[in-house]
Amino acid sequence: VKRFPGDLLGIGSLQRADVERLLARAADHKKALAEGRRSTTLAGAVVGTLFFEDSTRTRSSFDFAARALGADVFSWSASGSSLSKGESLLDTARNIDALGVRAMVIRHSSTGAPHLVARHVRAAVVNAGDGTNEHPSQALLDAFTLVQRLGDLSGKRIVIAGDIVHSRVARSNARCLSLLGAQVVFCGPPTLLPPGMAALGCQVSYDFDQALEGADAVMMLRVQLERMNQAMFPSAREYARLFGLNPARAARLAPQVPVLHPGPMNRGVEITSEVADGPRSAILQQVENGVPMRMAILEACAA
Ligand code: CP
């Protein structure tokens, strides 16, 4: 398997210096985009986006990022493909590789799917989310957003709250923010926050109000009902009462503390609309930062 910068399969394959270089390049790209300067780094290349699972933000921002680097984009979706005739993941990926894509951005519901593909194709493989394992480009754009809001992240207390057990975003963020020296605190009900998560070097709390004390930033996670095959909390209302970020809880945070959410949101469950659309929300800044960060990733892996 090619490792970063040949592929980006997970934050686990990055060193702190790699993350810092990507943050610096994303800042360059963000400035260039704001000034209307075009890049031709990937001119003549085709970037394939292979989404075996639905997406709004990740797919579109990889698409925007590839085009902003001068590449053409080949957009493949499971629906309407020969998967319905029984074609395998590997055959699908090998065929798209044979068409001549320079990079493949892959999202799949199974952990390890992009890693498997990476062993069998020439193209650079970028993991756009695999099962509950990793979502490295999300963590990198989150780190970019946090650095813009807070500066140096060393020693900063970042609370990541909600459905940790099903969250690839939580795992990638824990690794990425720890590399940058932040103290990550995972918070959620015990059914959604198994004890093994502390092995990622994070503190664990089952009391949201206590976890929020002294927080420098708060990242709320979506309750992933589609990955639950049994009830993991009594009701959405009970969950919102104990673990939802509402105006009363947000008011106890210091004024400069940003609130993040990778999206999509369950408004009224893990976060209220007042907070999601309020002055501390960095949620659309995260989306905006997805384009320059994904430009930095594609450039590192495929230029
Ligand atoms: N944050 C995120 O991965 O969103 P999408 O599922 O819309 O890509």
Side-chain angles (χ1 to χ4, degrees), residues 235-274:
S235 67
R237 191 173 158 160
E238 178 78 351
Y239 183 90
R241 189 175 67 77
L242 293 173
F243 293 99
L245 191 56
N246 53 34
R249 285 201 169 100
R252 295 202 291 274
L253 298 167
Q256 74 284 1
V257 172
V259 171
L260 293 84
H261 193 307
M265 292 182 272
N266 290 311
R267 289 173 181 262
V269 183
E270 71 267 3
I271 191 166
T272 65
S273 286
E274 292 91 331

Side-chain angles (χ1 to χ4, degrees), residues 54-59 107 135 138 262-264:
D54 294 343
S55 165
T56 295
R57 284 145 288 269
T58 311
R59 179 180 205 132
R107 169 169 290 186
H135 192 349
Q138 179 71 46

Side-chain angles (χ1 to χ4, degrees), residues 147-263:
V147 167
Q148 286 183 331
R149 289 286 183 123
L150 304 176
D152 182 1
L153 298 185
S154 298
K156 294 287 193 298
R157 180 179 166 86
I158 316 286
V159 177
I160 301 181
D163 183 355
I164 308 284
V165 69
H166 297 112
S167 179
R168 52 199 179 205
V169 173
R171 285 170 180 77
S172 288
N173 260 293
R175 295 189 172 106
C176 188
L177 295 171
S178 300
L179 273 181
L180 296 172
Q183 175 60 64
V184 173
V185 181
F186 279 151
C187 180
T191 46
L192 297 178
L193 177 41
M197 298 302 291
L200 289 171
C202 306
Q203 291 176 12
V204 167
S205 167
Y206 303 110
D207 181 329
F208 193 29
D209 291 304
Q210 207 171 60
L212 290 176
E213 280 172 26
D216 292 296
V218 184
M219 182 182 300
M220 301 308 297
L221 298 176
R222 181 171 69 91
V223 174
Q224 299 192 37
L225 292 170
E226 77 279 16
R227 295 194 205 274
M228 297 180 195
N229 48 21
Q230 59 183 32
M232 297 181 94
F233 47 84
S235 67
R237 191 173 158 160
E238 178 78 351
Y239 183 90
R241 189 175 67 77
L242 293 173
F243 293 99
L245 191 56
N246 53 34
R249 285 201 169 100
R252 295 202 291 274
L253 298 167
Q256 74 284 1
V257 172
V259 171
L260 293 84
H261 193 307

Side-chain angles (χ1 to χ4, degrees), residues 58-86:
T58 311
R59 179 180 205 132
S60 1
S61 65
F62 268 115
D63 186 309
F64 275 57
R67 291 178 202 279
L69 291 168
D72 290 319
V73 177
F74 168 67
S75 187
W76 179 95
S77 296
S79 114
S81 78
S82 287
L83 274 190
S84 63
K85 302 173 199 164

